[in-house]
Amino acid sequence: MISTELATRLRDAGLVWRPADGDRFRIDAPDLSADVFTVSTMTIEAHDFPTGTVLGFNGTTEWALDSVAIEDALWLPREDQLRDLLRSTFRGLRRTPDGFEVEVDLLGERRSFAAGDAAEAYGRALLALVERST
């Protein structure tokens, strides 16, 4: 799982989240910042309204929380989602002595992004792509 810091940087750079089953997220609230939630039609479901998307808690959680605006949630994309978002820029993933390295082609320039975790390396590469396109 990518770090909260990287997820925040991706969101702030303009990465858009369209919640789907299996997505993980944190809630931007001091009492809940350490908890990770998973979107699931059985427990947490995304509801689209003209005013925005709301994550509805369907009564199976142990504490009283009806819903959370998507703006108050921080998406923690999975490794496969990060790789998919890199699309045709992705060139490869290599294991290194310190972890993993993702290689991408950003507008004709080969760049590598290293991290101890493959998801974090993918996230760093995606951040560079999102920042370059905005």
Side-chain angles (χ1 to χ4, degrees), residues 63-89:
W63 38 272
L65 180 63
D66 291 331
S67 63
V68 172
I70 197 167
E71 296 82 20
D72 296 327
L74 178 64
W75 180 31
L76 303 168
R78 298 182 312 267
E79 181 180 331
D80 64 303
Q81 292 171 314
L82 294 163
R83 184 177 48 251
D84 288 347
L85 289 166
L86 286 171
R87 296 184 177 96
S88 63
T89 66

mmCIF file with all atom_site columns, all heavy atoms in Angstrom, residues 63-89:
data_model
loop_
_atom_site.group_PDB
_atom_site.id
_atom_site.type_symbol
_atom_site.label_atom_id
_atom_site.label_alt_id
_atom_site.label_comp_id
_atom_site.label_asym_id
_atom_site.label_entity_id
_atom_site.label_seq_id
_atom_site.pdbx_PDB_ins_code
_atom_site.Cartn_x
_atom_site.Cartn_y
_atom_site.Cartn_z
_atom_site.occupancy
_atom_site.B_iso_or_equiv
_atom_site.pdbx_formal_charge
_atom_site.auth_seq_id
_atom_site.auth_comp_id
_atom_site.auth_asym_id
_atom_site.auth_atom_id
_atom_site.pdbx_PDB_model_num
ATOM 1   N N   . TRP A 1 63 ? -19.179 1.673  14.551  1.00 0.00 ? 63 TRP A N   1
ATOM 2   C CA  . TRP A 1 63 ? -19.360 3.008  15.083  1.00 0.00 ? 63 TRP A CA  1
ATOM 3   C C   . TRP A 1 63 ? -20.318 3.768  14.176  1.00 0.00 ? 63 TRP A C   1
ATOM 4   O O   . TRP A 1 63 ? -20.540 3.404  13.039  1.00 0.00 ? 63 TRP A O   1
ATOM 5   C CB  . TRP A 1 63 ? -18.029 3.740  15.234  1.00 0.00 ? 63 TRP A CB  1
ATOM 6   C CG  . TRP A 1 63 ? -17.085 3.450  14.132  1.00 0.00 ? 63 TRP A CG  1
ATOM 7   C CD1 . TRP A 1 63 ? -16.193 2.435  14.077  1.00 0.00 ? 63 TRP A CD1 1
ATOM 8   C CD2 . TRP A 1 63 ? -16.968 4.140  12.894  1.00 0.00 ? 63 TRP A CD2 1
ATOM 9   N NE1 . TRP A 1 63 ? -15.520 2.450  12.889  1.00 0.00 ? 63 TRP A NE1 1
ATOM 10  C CE2 . TRP A 1 63 ? -15.967 3.490  12.152  1.00 0.00 ? 63 TRP A CE2 1
ATOM 11  C CE3 . TRP A 1 63 ? -17.597 5.242  12.346  1.00 0.00 ? 63 TRP A CE3 1
ATOM 12  C CZ2 . TRP A 1 63 ? -15.596 3.915  10.891  1.00 0.00 ? 63 TRP A CZ2 1
ATOM 13  C CZ3 . TRP A 1 63 ? -17.224 5.668  11.089  1.00 0.00 ? 63 TRP A CZ3 1
ATOM 14  C CH2 . TRP A 1 63 ? -16.228 5.012  10.389  1.00 0.00 ? 63 TRP A CH2 1
ATOM 15  N N   . ALA A 1 64 ? -20.874 4.816  14.697  1.00 0.00 ? 64 ALA A N   1
ATOM 16  C CA  . ALA A 1 64 ? -21.922 5.541  13.983  1.00 0.00 ? 64 ALA A CA  1
ATOM 17  C C   . ALA A 1 64 ? -21.320 6.532  12.983  1.00 0.00 ? 64 ALA A C   1
ATOM 18  O O   . ALA A 1 64 ? -20.879 7.613  13.347  1.00 0.00 ? 64 ALA A O   1
ATOM 19  C CB  . ALA A 1 64 ? -22.809 6.279  14.980  1.00 0.00 ? 64 ALA A CB  1
ATOM 20  N N   . LEU A 1 65 ? -21.304 6.143  11.719  1.00 0.00 ? 65 LEU A N   1
ATOM 21  C CA  . LEU A 1 65 ? -20.873 7.013  10.638  1.00 0.00 ? 65 LEU A CA  1
ATOM 22  C C   . LEU A 1 65 ? -21.776 6.717  9.456   1.00 0.00 ? 65 LEU A C   1
ATOM 23  O O   . LEU A 1 65 ? -21.789 5.607  8.939   1.00 0.00 ? 65 LEU A O   1
ATOM 24  C CB  . LEU A 1 65 ? -19.412 6.746  10.273  1.00 0.00 ? 65 LEU A CB  1
ATOM 25  C CG  . LEU A 1 65 ? -18.816 7.588  9.157   1.00 0.00 ? 65 LEU A CG  1
ATOM 26  C CD1 . LEU A 1 65 ? -18.810 9.068  9.560   1.00 0.00 ? 65 LEU A CD1 1
ATOM 27  C CD2 . LEU A 1 65 ? -17.399 7.142  8.864   1.00 0.00 ? 65 LEU A CD2 1
ATOM 28  N N   . ASP A 1 66 ? -22.585 7.691  9.076   1.00 0.00 ? 66 ASP A N   1
ATOM 29  C CA  . ASP A 1 66 ? -23.525 7.474  7.981   1.00 0.00 ? 66 ASP A CA  1
ATOM 30  C C   . ASP A 1 66 ? -22.870 7.598  6.619   1.00 0.00 ? 66 ASP A C   1
ATOM 31  O O   . ASP A 1 66 ? -23.040 6.755  5.758   1.00 0.00 ? 66 ASP A O   1
ATOM 32  C CB  . ASP A 1 66 ? -24.687 8.465  8.060   1.00 0.00 ? 66 ASP A CB  1
ATOM 33  C CG  . ASP A 1 66 ? -25.582 8.187  9.255   1.00 0.00 ? 66 ASP A CG  1
ATOM 34  O OD1 . ASP A 1 66 ? -25.672 7.024  9.658   1.00 0.00 ? 66 ASP A OD1 1
ATOM 35  O OD2 . ASP A 1 66 ? -26.177 9.137  9.778   1.00 0.00 ? 66 ASP A OD2 1
ATOM 36  N N   . SER A 1 67 ? -22.121 8.693  6.426   1.00 0.00 ? 67 SER A N   1
ATOM 37  C CA  . SER A 1 67 ? -21.493 8.905  5.128   1.00 0.00 ? 67 SER A CA  1
ATOM 38  C C   . SER A 1 67 ? -20.351 9.898  5.253   1.00 0.00 ? 67 SER A C   1
ATOM 39  O O   . SER A 1 67 ? -20.238 10.620 6.244   1.00 0.00 ? 67 SER A O   1
ATOM 40  C CB  . SER A 1 67 ? -22.524 9.415  4.120   1.00 0.00 ? 67 SER A CB  1
ATOM 41  O OG  . SER A 1 67 ? -23.012 10.681 4.532   1.00 0.00 ? 67 SER A OG  1
ATOM 42  N N   . VAL A 1 68 ? -19.518 9.910  4.220   1.00 0.00 ? 68 VAL A N   1
ATOM 43  C CA  . VAL A 1 68 ? -18.369 10.800 4.167   1.00 0.00 ? 68 VAL A CA  1
ATOM 44  C C   . VAL A 1 68 ? -18.288 11.347 2.745   1.00 0.00 ? 68 VAL A C   1
ATOM 45  O O   . VAL A 1 68 ? -18.357 10.566 1.785   1.00 0.00 ? 68 VAL A O   1
ATOM 46  C CB  . VAL A 1 68 ? -17.063 10.044 4.499   1.00 0.00 ? 68 VAL A CB  1
ATOM 47  C CG1 . VAL A 1 68 ? -15.840 10.911 4.246   1.00 0.00 ? 68 VAL A CG1 1
ATOM 48  C CG2 . VAL A 1 68 ? -17.070 9.557  5.923   1.00 0.00 ? 68 VAL A CG2 1
ATOM 49  N N   . ALA A 1 69 ? -18.142 12.653 2.598   1.00 0.00 ? 69 ALA A N   1
ATOM 50  C CA  . ALA A 1 69 ? -17.940 13.237 1.271   1.00 0.00 ? 69 ALA A CA  1
ATOM 51  C C   . ALA A 1 69 ? -16.606 12.761 0.727   1.00 0.00 ? 69 ALA A C   1
ATOM 52  O O   . ALA A 1 69 ? -15.634 12.610 1.477   1.00 0.00 ? 69 ALA A O   1
ATOM 53  C CB  . ALA A 1 69 ? -17.975 14.754 1.354   1.00 0.00 ? 69 ALA A CB  1
ATOM 54  N N   . ILE A 1 70 ? -16.548 12.537 -0.568  1.00 0.00 ? 70 ILE A N   1
ATOM 55  C CA  . ILE A 1 70 ? -15.317 12.035 -1.176  1.00 0.00 ? 70 ILE A CA  1
ATOM 56  C C   . ILE A 1 70 ? -14.153 13.001 -0.944  1.00 0.00 ? 70 ILE A C   1
ATOM 57  O O   . ILE A 1 70 ? -13.003 12.588 -0.861  1.00 0.00 ? 70 ILE A O   1
ATOM 58  C CB  . ILE A 1 70 ? -15.528 11.736 -2.673  1.00 0.00 ? 70 ILE A CB  1
ATOM 59  C CG1 . ILE A 1 70 ? -14.395 10.848 -3.180  1.00 0.00 ? 70 ILE A CG1 1
ATOM 60  C CG2 . ILE A 1 70 ? -15.680 12.993 -3.473  1.00 0.00 ? 70 ILE A CG2 1
ATOM 61  C CD1 . ILE A 1 70 ? -14.649 10.232 -4.525  1.00 0.00 ? 70 ILE A CD1 1
ATOM 62  N N   . GLU A 1 71 ? -14.445 14.277 -0.786  1.00 0.00 ? 71 GLU A N   1
ATOM 63  C CA  . GLU A 1 71 ? -13.402 15.265 -0.519  1.00 0.00 ? 71 GLU A CA  1
ATOM 64  C C   . GLU A 1 71 ? -12.736 15.048 0.836   1.00 0.00 ? 71 GLU A C   1
ATOM 65  O O   . GLU A 1 71 ? -11.627 15.525 1.071   1.00 0.00 ? 71 GLU A O   1
ATOM 66  C CB  . GLU A 1 71 ? -13.970 16.688 -0.569  1.00 0.00 ? 71 GLU A CB  1
ATOM 67  C CG  . GLU A 1 71 ? -14.486 17.113 -1.927  1.00 0.00 ? 71 GLU A CG  1
ATOM 68  C CD  . GLU A 1 71 ? -15.904 16.615 -2.203  1.00 0.00 ? 71 GLU A CD  1
ATOM 69  O OE1 . GLU A 1 71 ? -16.646 16.262 -1.247  1.00 0.00 ? 71 GLU A OE1 1
ATOM 70  O OE2 . GLU A 1 71 ? -16.276 16.552 -3.390  1.00 0.00 ? 71 GLU A OE2 1
ATOM 71  N N   . ASP A 1 72 ? -13.423 14.340 1.738   1.00 0.00 ? 72 ASP A N   1
ATOM 72  C CA  . ASP A 1 72 ? -12.887 14.073 3.073   1.00 0.00 ? 72 ASP A CA  1
ATOM 73  C C   . ASP A 1 72 ? -12.221 12.701 3.171   1.00 0.00 ? 72 ASP A C   1
ATOM 74  O O   . ASP A 1 72 ? -11.841 12.265 4.254   1.00 0.00 ? 72 ASP A O   1
ATOM 75  C CB  . ASP A 1 72 ? -14.003 14.172 4.117   1.00 0.00 ? 72 ASP A CB  1
ATOM 76  C CG  . ASP A 1 72 ? -14.570 15.571 4.201   1.00 0.00 ? 72 ASP A CG  1
ATOM 77  O OD1 . ASP A 1 72 ? -13.807 16.541 3.993   1.00 0.00 ? 72 ASP A OD1 1
ATOM 78  O OD2 . ASP A 1 72 ? -15.781 15.711 4.449   1.00 0.00 ? 72 ASP A OD2 1
ATOM 79  N N   . ALA A 1 73 ? -12.099 12.028 2.022   1.00 0.00 ? 73 ALA A N   1
ATOM 80  C CA  . ALA A 1 73 ? -11.474 10.706 1.988   1.00 0.00 ? 73 ALA A CA  1
ATOM 81  C C   . ALA A 1 73 ? -10.217 10.774 1.129   1.00 0.00 ? 73 ALA A C   1
ATOM 82  O O   . ALA A 1 73 ? -10.137 11.557 0.186   1.00 0.00 ? 73 ALA A O   1
ATOM 83  C CB  . ALA A 1 73 ? -12.449 9.680  1.408   1.00 0.00 ? 73 ALA A CB  1
ATOM 84  N N   . LEU A 1 74 ? -9.241  9.966  1.484   1.00 0.00 ? 74 LEU A N   1
ATOM 85  C CA  . LEU A 1 74 ? -7.987  9.916  0.743   1.00 0.00 ? 74 LEU A CA  1
ATOM 86  C C   . LEU A 1 74 ? -7.833  8.523  0.138   1.00 0.00 ? 74 LEU A C   1
ATOM 87  O O   . LEU A 1 74 ? -7.692  7.533  0.862   1.00 0.00 ? 74 LEU A O   1
ATOM 88  C CB  . LEU A 1 74 ? -6.802  10.211 1.671   1.00 0.00 ? 74 LEU A CB  1
ATOM 89  C CG  . LEU A 1 74 ? -5.422  10.143 1.026   1.00 0.00 ? 74 LEU A CG  1
ATOM 90  C CD1 . LEU A 1 74 ? -5.266  11.223 -0.045  1.00 0.00 ? 74 LEU A CD1 1
ATOM 91  C CD2 . LEU A 1 74 ? -4.348  10.273 2.097   1.00 0.00 ? 74 LEU A CD2 1
ATOM 92  N N   . TRP A 1 75 ? -7.871  8.450  -1.181  1.00 0.00 ? 75 TRP A N   1
ATOM 93  C CA  . TRP A 1 75 ? -7.740  7.180  -1.900  1.00 0.00 ? 75 TRP A CA  1
ATOM 94  C C   . TRP A 1 75 ? -6.324  6.653  -1.772  1.00 0.00 ? 75 TRP A C   1
ATOM 95  O O   . TRP A 1 75 ? -5.355  7.388  -1.922  1.00 0.00 ? 75 TRP A O   1
ATOM 96  C CB  . TRP A 1 75 ? -8.084  7.403  -3.358  1.00 0.00 ? 75 TRP A CB  1
ATOM 97  C CG  . TRP A 1 75 ? -8.000  6.200  -4.254  1.00 0.00 ? 75 TRP A CG  1
ATOM 98  C CD1 . TRP A 1 75 ? -8.227  4.888  -3.917  1.00 0.00 ? 75 TRP A CD1 1
ATOM 99  C CD2 . TRP A 1 75 ? -7.689  6.200  -5.645  1.00 0.00 ? 75 TRP A CD2 1
ATOM 100 N NE1 . TRP A 1 75 ? -8.074  4.080  -5.013  1.00 0.00 ? 75 TRP A NE1 1
ATOM 101 C CE2 . TRP A 1 75 ? -7.745  4.865  -6.099  1.00 0.00 ? 75 TRP A CE2 1
ATOM 102 C CE3 . TRP A 1 75 ? -7.372  7.199  -6.544  1.00 0.00 ? 75 TRP A CE3 1
ATOM 103 C CZ2 . TRP A 1 75 ? -7.493  4.510  -7.407  1.00 0.00 ? 75 TRP A CZ2 1
ATOM 104 C CZ3 . TRP A 1 75 ? -7.126  6.844  -7.864  1.00 0.00 ? 75 TRP A CZ3 1
ATOM 105 C CH2 . TRP A 1 75 ? -7.185  5.509  -8.282  1.00 0.00 ? 75 TRP A CH2 1
ATOM 106 N N   . LEU A 1 76 ? -6.202  5.368  -1.481  1.00 0.00 ? 76 LEU A N   1
ATOM 107 C CA  . LEU A 1 76 ? -4.924  4.672  -1.405  1.00 0.00 ? 76 LEU A CA  1
ATOM 108 C C   . LEU A 1 76 ? -4.895  3.642  -2.537  1.00 0.00 ? 76 LEU A C   1
ATOM 109 O O   . LEU A 1 76 ? -5.237  2.473  -2.332  1.00 0.00 ? 76 LEU A O   1
ATOM 110 C CB  . LEU A 1 76 ? -4.761  3.978  -0.046  1.00 0.00 ? 76 LEU A CB  1
ATOM 111 C CG  . LEU A 1 76 ? -4.865  4.891  1.171   1.00 0.00 ? 76 LEU A CG  1
ATOM 112 C CD1 . LEU A 1 76 ? -4.982  4.073  2.447   1.00 0.00 ? 76 LEU A CD1 1
ATOM 113 C CD2 . LEU A 1 76 ? -3.669  5.828  1.229   1.00 0.00 ? 76 LEU A CD2 1
ATOM 114 N N   . PRO A 1 77 ? -4.521  4.076  -3.754  1.00 0.00 ? 77 PRO A N   1
ATOM 115 C CA  . PRO A 1 77 ? -4.573  3.152  -4.893  1.00 0.00 ? 77 PRO A CA  1
ATOM 116 C C   . PRO A 1 77 ? -3.689  1.926  -4.692  1.00 0.00 ? 77 PRO A C   1
ATOM 117 O O   . PRO A 1 77 ? -2.610  2.018  -4.101  1.00 0.00 ? 77 PRO A O   1
ATOM 118 C CB  . PRO A 1 77 ? -4.067  3.975  -6.078  1.00 0.00 ? 77 PRO A CB  1
ATOM 119 C CG  . PRO A 1 77 ? -3.847  5.351  -5.601  1.00 0.00 ? 77 PRO A CG  1
ATOM 120 C CD  . PRO A 1 77 ? -3.994  5.375  -4.116  1.00 0.00 ? 77 PRO A CD  1
ATOM 121 N N   . ARG A 1 78 ? -4.184  0.797  -5.189  1.00 0.00 ? 78 ARG A N   1
ATOM 122 C CA  . ARG A 1 78 ? -3.433  -0.454 -5.141  1.00 0.00 ? 78 ARG A CA  1
ATOM 123 C C   . ARG A 1 78 ? -2.360  -0.459 -6.225  1.00 0.00 ? 78 ARG A C   1
ATOM 124 O O   . ARG A 1 78 ? -2.398  0.325  -7.179  1.00 0.00 ? 78 ARG A O   1
ATOM 125 C CB  . ARG A 1 78 ? -4.362  -1.653 -5.378  1.00 0.00 ? 78 ARG A CB  1
ATOM 126 C CG  . ARG A 1 78 ? -5.453  -1.829 -4.351  1.00 0.00 ? 78 ARG A CG  1
ATOM 127 C CD  . ARG A 1 78 ? -6.271  -3.086 -4.663  1.00 0.00 ? 78 ARG A CD  1
ATOM 128 N NE  . ARG A 1 78 ? -6.678  -3.187 -6.050  1.00 0.00 ? 78 ARG A NE  1
ATOM 129 C CZ  . ARG A 1 78 ? -7.849  -2.746 -6.536  1.00 0.00 ? 78 ARG A CZ  1
ATOM 130 N NH1 . ARG A 1 78 ? -8.712  -2.148 -5.730  1.00 0.00 ? 78 ARG A NH1 1
ATOM 131 N NH2 . ARG A 1 78 ? -8.152  -2.892 -7.811  1.00 0.00 ? 78 ARG A NH2 1
ATOM 132 N N   . GLU A 1 79 ? -1.423  -1.386 -6.113  1.00 0.00 ? 79 GLU A N   1
ATOM 133 C CA  . GLU A 1 79 ? -0.339  -1.522 -7.088  1.00 0.00 ? 79 GLU A CA  1
ATOM 134 C C   . GLU A 1 79 ? -0.881  -1.689 -8.507  1.00 0.00 ? 79 GLU A C   1
ATOM 135 O O   . GLU A 1 79 ? -0.409  -1.036 -9.447  1.00 0.00 ? 79 GLU A O   1
ATOM 136 C CB  . GLU A 1 79 ? 0.538   -2.710 -6.702  1.00 0.00 ? 79 GLU A CB  1
ATOM 137 C CG  . GLU A 1 79 ? 1.707   -2.943 -7.618  1.00 0.00 ? 79 GLU A CG  1
ATOM 138 C CD  . GLU A 1 79 ? 2.549   -4.133 -7.198  1.00 0.00 ? 79 GLU A CD  1
ATOM 139 O OE1 . GLU A 1 79 ? 2.609   -4.456 -6.005  1.00 0.00 ? 79 GLU A OE1 1
ATOM 140 O OE2 . GLU A 1 79 ? 3.153   -4.740 -8.098  1.00 0.00 ? 79 GLU A OE2 1
ATOM 141 N N   . ASP A 1 80 ? -1.879  -2.552 -8.697  1.00 0.00 ? 80 ASP A N   1
ATOM 142 C CA  . ASP A 1 80 ? -2.418  -2.773 -10.043 1.00 0.00 ? 80 ASP A CA  1
ATOM 143 C C   . ASP A 1 80 ? -3.091  -1.526 -10.594 1.00 0.00 ? 80 ASP A C   1
ATOM 144 O O   . ASP A 1 80 ? -3.016  -1.239 -11.793 1.00 0.00 ? 80 ASP A O   1
ATOM 145 C CB  . ASP A 1 80 ? -3.378  -3.969 -10.060 1.00 0.00 ? 80 ASP A CB  1
ATOM 146 C CG  . ASP A 1 80 ? -4.617  -3.752 -9.201  1.00 0.00 ? 80 ASP A CG  1
ATOM 147 O OD1 . ASP A 1 80 ? -4.471  -3.481 -7.988  1.00 0.00 ? 80 ASP A OD1 1
ATOM 148 O OD2 . ASP A 1 80 ? -5.740  -3.865 -9.737  1.00 0.00 ? 80 ASP A OD2 1
ATOM 149 N N   . GLN A 1 81 ? -3.747  -0.743 -9.735  1.00 0.00 ? 81 GLN A N   1
ATOM 150 C CA  . GLN A 1 81 ? -4.389  0.486  -10.183 1.00 0.00 ? 81 GLN A CA  1
ATOM 151 C C   . GLN A 1 81 ? -3.350  1.520  -10.609 1.00 0.00 ? 81 GLN A C   1
ATOM 152 O O   . GLN A 1 81 ? -3.525  2.205  -11.620 1.00 0.00 ? 81 GLN A O   1
ATOM 153 C CB  . GLN A 1 81 ? -5.272  1.063  -9.074  1.00 0.00 ? 81 GLN A CB  1
ATOM 154 C CG  . GLN A 1 81 ? -6.485  0.210  -8.768  1.00 0.00 ? 81 GLN A CG  1
ATOM 155 C CD  . GLN A 1 81 ? -7.219  0.682  -7.535  1.00 0.00 ? 81 GLN A CD  1
ATOM 156 O OE1 . GLN A 1 81 ? -6.618  0.958  -6.500  1.00 0.00 ? 81 GLN A OE1 1
ATOM 157 N NE2 . GLN A 1 81 ? -8.534  0.791  -7.650  1.00 0.00 ? 81 GLN A NE2 1
ATOM 158 N N   . LEU A 1 82 ? -2.270  1.624  -9.853  1.00 0.00 ? 82 LEU A N   1
ATOM 159 C CA  . LEU A 1 82 ? -1.205  2.558  -10.189 1.00 0.00 ? 82 LEU A CA  1
ATOM 160 C C   . LEU A 1 82 ? -0.571  2.178  -11.529 1.00 0.00 ? 82 LEU A C   1
ATOM 161 O O   . LEU A 1 82 ? -0.341  3.043  -12.383 1.00 0.00 ? 82 LEU A O   1
ATOM 162 C CB  . LEU A 1 82 ? -0.153  2.578  -9.082  1.00 0.00 ? 82 LEU A CB  1
ATOM 163 C CG  . LEU A 1 82 ? -0.648  3.134  -7.741  1.00 0.00 ? 82 LEU A CG  1
ATOM 164 C CD1 . LEU A 1 82 ? 0.290   2.731  -6.616  1.00 0.00 ? 82 LEU A CD1 1
ATOM 165 C CD2 . LEU A 1 82 ? -0.793  4.648  -7.823  1.00 0.00 ? 82 LEU A CD2 1
ATOM 166 N N   . ARG A 1 83 ? -0.310  0.898  -11.721 1.00 0.00 ? 83 ARG A N   1
ATOM 167 C CA  . ARG A 1 83 ? 0.275   0.428  -12.985 1.00 0.00 ? 83 ARG A CA  1
ATOM 168 C C   . ARG A 1 83 ? -0.669  0.728  -14.143 1.00 0.00 ? 83 ARG A C   1
ATOM 169 O O   . ARG A 1 83 ? -0.245  1.222  -15.188 1.00 0.00 ? 83 ARG A O   1
ATOM 170 C CB  . ARG A 1 83 ? 0.586   -1.064 -12.900 1.00 0.00 ? 83 ARG A CB  1
ATOM 171 C CG  . ARG A 1 83 ? 1.293   -1.627 -14.121 1.00 0.00 ? 83 ARG A CG  1
ATOM 172 C CD  . ARG A 1 83 ? 1.664   -3.102 -13.970 1.00 0.00 ? 83 ARG A CD  1
ATOM 173 N NE  . ARG A 1 83 ? 0.582   -3.927 -13.490 1.00 0.00 ? 83 ARG A NE  1
ATOM 174 C CZ  . ARG A 1 83 ? 0.519   -4.472 -12.267 1.00 0.00 ? 83 ARG A CZ  1
ATOM 175 N NH1 . ARG A 1 83 ? 1.477   -4.282 -11.396 1.00 0.00 ? 83 ARG A NH1 1
ATOM 176 N NH2 . ARG A 1 83 ? -0.514  -5.207 -11.917 1.00 0.00 ? 83 ARG A NH2 1
ATOM 177 N N   . ASP A 1 84 ? -1.955  0.465  -13.971 1.00 0.00 ? 84 ASP A N   1
ATOM 178 C CA  . ASP A 1 84 ? -2.939  0.753  -15.020 1.00 0.00 ? 84 ASP A CA  1
ATOM 179 C C   . ASP A 1 84 ? -2.991  2.246  -15.352 1.00 0.00 ? 84 ASP A C   1
ATOM 180 O O   . ASP A 1 84 ? -3.145  2.628  -16.512 1.00 0.00 ? 84 ASP A O   1
ATOM 181 C CB  . ASP A 1 84 ? -4.332  0.279  -14.616 1.00 0.00 ? 84 ASP A CB  1
ATOM 182 C CG  . ASP A 1 84 ? -4.476  -1.233 -14.642 1.00 0.00 ? 84 ASP A CG  1
ATOM 183 O OD1 . ASP A 1 84 ? -3.594  -1.923 -15.210 1.00 0.00 ? 84 ASP A OD1 1
ATOM 184 O OD2 . ASP A 1 84 ? -5.471  -1.737 -14.075 1.00 0.00 ? 84 ASP A OD2 1
ATOM 185 N N   . LEU A 1 85 ? -2.869  3.094  -14.345 1.00 0.00 ? 85 LEU A N   1
ATOM 186 C CA  . LEU A 1 85 ? -2.913  4.542  -14.568 1.00 0.00 ? 85 LEU A CA  1
ATOM 187 C C   . LEU A 1 85 ? -1.681  5.051  -15.311 1.00 0.00 ? 85 LEU A C   1
ATOM 188 O O   . LEU A 1 85 ? -1.745  6.103  -15.962 1.00 0.00 ? 85 LEU A O   1
ATOM 189 C CB  . LEU A 1 85 ? -3.080  5.281  -13.234 1.00 0.00 ? 85 LEU A CB  1
ATOM 190 C CG  . LEU A 1 85 ? -4.457  5.137  -12.596 1.00 0.00 ? 85 LEU A CG  1
ATOM 191 C CD1 . LEU A 1 85 ? -4.430  5.600  -11.144 1.00 0.00 ? 85 LEU A CD1 1
ATOM 192 C CD2 . LEU A 1 85 ? -5.499  5.918  -13.393 1.00 0.00 ? 85 LEU A CD2 1
ATOM 193 N N   . LEU A 1 86 ? -0.587  4.320  -15.238 1.00 0.00 ? 86 LEU A N   1
ATOM 194 C CA  . LEU A 1 86 ? 0.604   4.709  -16.001 1.00 0.00 ? 86 LEU A CA  1
ATOM 195 C C   . LEU A 1 86 ? 0.409   4.462  -17.497 1.00 0.00 ? 86 LEU A C   1
ATOM 196 O O   . LEU A 1 86 ? 1.116   5.039  -18.327 1.00 0.00 ? 86 LEU A O   1
ATOM 197 C CB  . LEU A 1 86 ? 1.832   3.939  -15.502 1.00 0.00 ? 86 LEU A CB  1
ATOM 198 C CG  . LEU A 1 86 ? 2.387   4.400  -14.169 1.00 0.00 ? 86 LEU A CG  1
ATOM 199 C CD1 . LEU A 1 86 ? 3.448   3.429  -13.664 1.00 0.00 ? 86 LEU A CD1 1
ATOM 200 C CD2 . LEU A 1 86 ? 2.958   5.805  -14.277 1.00 0.00 ? 86 LEU A CD2 1
ATOM 201 N N   . ARG A 1 87 ? -0.520  3.596  -17.837 1.00 0.00 ? 87 ARG A N   1
ATOM 202 C CA  . ARG A 1 87 ? -0.864  3.260  -19.214 1.00 0.00 ? 87 ARG A CA  1
ATOM 203 C C   . ARG A 1 87 ? 0.366   2.972  -20.059 1.00 0.00 ? 87 ARG A C   1
ATOM 204 O O   . ARG A 1 87 ? 1.239   2.220  -19.670 1.00 0.00 ? 87 ARG A O   1
ATOM 205 C CB  . ARG A 1 87 ? -1.738  4.362  -19.820 1.00 0.00 ? 87 ARG A CB  1
ATOM 206 C CG  . ARG A 1 87 ? -3.083  4.498  -19.134 1.00 0.00 ? 87 ARG A CG  1
ATOM 207 C CD  . ARG A 1 87 ? -3.957  5.522  -19.815 1.00 0.00 ? 87 ARG A CD  1
ATOM 208 N NE  . ARG A 1 87 ? -5.254  5.597  -19.193 1.00 0.00 ? 87 ARG A NE  1
ATOM 209 C CZ  . ARG A 1 87 ? -5.594  6.493  -18.268 1.00 0.00 ? 87 ARG A CZ  1
ATOM 210 N NH1 . ARG A 1 87 ? -4.736  7.395  -17.886 1.00 0.00 ? 87 ARG A NH1 1
ATOM 211 N NH2 . ARG A 1 87 ? -6.799  6.483  -17.747 1.00 0.00 ? 87 ARG A NH2 1
ATOM 212 N N   . SER A 1 88 ? 0.436   3.584  -21.232 1.00 0.00 ? 88 SER A N   1
ATOM 213 C CA  . SER A 1 88 ? 1.500   3.267  -22.195 1.00 0.00 ? 88 SER A CA  1
ATOM 214 C C   . SER A 1 88 ? 2.861   3.846  -21.812 1.00 0.00 ? 88 SER A C   1
ATOM 215 O O   . SER A 1 88 ? 3.862   3.545  -22.461 1.00 0.00 ? 88 SER A O   1
ATOM 216 C CB  . SER A 1 88 ? 1.106   3.764  -23.588 1.00 0.00 ? 88 SER A CB  1
ATOM 217 O OG  . SER A 1 88 ? 0.979   5.172  -23.587 1.00 0.00 ? 88 SER A OG  1
ATOM 218 N N   . THR A 1 89 ? 2.929   4.630  -20.747 1.00 0.00 ? 89 THR A N   1
ATOM 219 C CA  . THR A 1 89 ? 4.228   5.163  -20.313 1.00 0.00 ? 89 THR A CA  1
ATOM 220 C C   . THR A 1 89 ? 5.053   4.099  -19.583 1.00 0.00 ? 89 THR A C   1
ATOM 221 O O   . THR A 1 89 ? 6.269   4.210  -19.512 1.00 0.00 ? 89 THR A O   1
ATOM 222 C CB  . THR A 1 89 ? 4.072   6.380  -19.383 1.00 0.00 ? 89 THR A CB  1
ATOM 223 O OG1 . THR A 1 89 ? 3.461   5.970  -18.160 1.00 0.00 ? 89 THR A OG1 1
ATOM 224 C CG2 . THR A 1 89 ? 3.249   7.478  -20.032 1.00 0.00 ? 89 THR A CG2 1
#
